[in-house]
Amino acid sequence: MSVSESLSPRSSDIEPVIPTTPLVSFFERLQETALNTFGETNFDPKLYVDLSLKFDLPTTEDAFVKLPKSANGSLSAEDLKGFIEKYFESAGNDMVYCEPVDFVPEPEGFLPKVKNPEVRAWALEVHALWKSLSRKVSDQVQKRPELHSMLPLPEPVMIPGSRFREIYYWDSYWVIRGLLASKMYETAKGIVTNLIYFIEEYGYVLNGGRAYYTNRSQPPLLSAMIYEIYNKTDDMQLVKKSLPALLKEYCFWNSDIHKVIIQDSQSCNHTLNRYYAMWNKPRPEATTKDKKFASKISNVSEKQQFYRELASAAESGWDFSSRWMRNPSDFSTLATTTILPVDLNTFILKMELDIAFLAKVTGDNSTAMSFIEASQSRLNAIKSVFWNEEAGQWLDYWLNDSTCKGCQTWEACNQKQSVFASNFIPLWVESFYSDTSLVEKVMKSFQGSGLLCAYGIATSLMNSGEQWDFPNGWAPLQHMIVEGLARSGSKEARSVAEDIAMRWIRTNYVAYKKTGKMHEKYNVEKCGEFGGGGKYAPQTGFGWSNGVVLAFLEEFGWPQDQMIDC
Ligand SMILES: OC[C@H]1O[C@H](O[C@H]2O[C@H](CO)[C@@H](O)[C@H](O)[C@H]2O)[C@H](O)[C@@H](O)[C@@H]1O
């Protein structure tokens, strides 16, 4: 029996939906009323699901239904504003600022390779941003959780910033990489403790720390966080505490809904994974928008499926992208659950390798062996299903349908021929470095792909208007590709990596000087310009961008007389 078969719970429910709380349902009603009353201008639906109640839910609902309505059922903006002020705490009040225990303005041994004084001064400013992003869940949430969508957590968190006022799963990996460069090991461990707490409570790491994020996860990088922290701190206690949680998380990703079997041309079966949210309704943080996107779908089960595709795209972290659409100009053709994604399977390969490593250091050789075997099977699967020799890239694989009963036969035409940054993510994992001709081929393919722009790596080649597409560049994608090239063992690849890191640092620096802020995403065609598109206004702060700048400066440094302006 394989490691995933022996660990995986067999769910009989193939279309699972995790129920939401009465509070979140009420917030959704409030959100819809707010849109109808205040109008579209500057409307952010997430604001309404991030409020806290001042009184209990029945009292608040009672006051809500008693609000005076005109003949056509509408409320006055003044009445609704007054109601919100009287009955709710503002969004963000459920977290309090908290000074990180291990923050010092200039840590000893901070970024030793950064010699240029201007770059060093800026890096210290970015380092200081940890103070503005550090929060602790308020005591009010711990005392009366039923009044809040914020979930209680044992340790402080780093929020991404702006409208993202809670912890996020995959963002935390790059936050932690930055914290390690900032020598803030205790803060990094606290973040991991929170994510482990999610696994203990829910069986997996939630998309984020809110009651409306309990129906899906995000790209699984917890093992990678623990691996990085252990390498810097040798903290065996942390490893021992995390292993049971990692095994549980591994089961979650290998549950029936996430698992797909593909039979290759040699009749060999491969198990791979996909994103699959346990939700078939509008995402509460975007109910008003999701209903609008679904408005032209009249069939009830097709509508439910569309909502599942939306939530599954959110689970992928790439919400939203032409990558998940059958027809990139029609958002209602989202088909996330019909795709086996290259990056998700790379993350699970990394999880297998990390668990094997962490089990070995605790002396648990039998777990280590099983996970080495699991990683070898996945390597074969990645090669057989995703690798495309002609392109020199790993391509997402489109399933024949999303039901995934039994196994599907591999067909070359099901590899998606479009170029996405995710096609190069496997190079982030060391398993591929021993094949020097493969590294060379992938590097050449990347250089000729069109993704490498003047100020970083574009997410795709298509300008669909979605945020996970051209011309946006995202910190996590820059980091994984740069780190993969830099560690691959090829000298040339390392110098390509350094060049990309410098382009990215430059544009982050110039944007910071212009706006005073670090941004969630950047426009890789224009120096110092932040990204746009998508379904919400561009955000600042910003956890993963700060983390990647610090990690790049740690790895490559910045020479004394190298200019940083564009
Ligand atoms: O509210 C819309 C979506 O917001 C999140 O996604 C985006 O921000 C996250 C935090 O930086 C990031 O992890 C994700 O990659 C972004 O696309 C949230 O994760 C989504 O679930 C949510 O629908």
Side-chain angles (χ1 to χ4, degrees), residues 46 160 163-164 168-171 207 213 216 218 283 285-286 311 314-320 467-468 474 520 536 542 544:
K46 186 172 180 295
R163 80 194 283 268
F164 298 117
Y168 280 80
Y169 183 7
W170 78 316
D171 297 52
N207 179 145
Y213 283 146
R216 58 180 182 263
Q218 257 198 335
R283 292 164 302 149
E285 77 280 16
E315 183 170 70
S316 80
W318 285 47
D319 47 312
F320 294 98
Q467 61 171 352
W468 287 86
W474 292 81
E520 173 196 31
Y536 56 80
F542 197 90
W544 60 21

Side-chain angles (χ1 to χ4, degrees), residues 285-303:
E285 77 280 16
T287 305
T288 47
K289 294 195 183 225
D290 288 2
K291 282 192 172 169
K292 207 168 157 191
F293 303 144
S295 58
K296 66 175 187 184
I297 307 171
S298 48
N299 177 291
V300 176
S301 71
E302 280 173 22
K303 215 186 242 295

Side-chain angles (χ1 to χ4, degrees), residues 318-337:
W318 285 47
D319 47 312
F320 294 98
S321 170
S322 62
R323 186 175 171 203
W324 311 126
M325 294 184 224
R326 288 187 191 283
N327 170 0
S329 53
D330 181 354
F331 192 60
S332 72
T333 64
L334 268 182
T336 325
T337 65

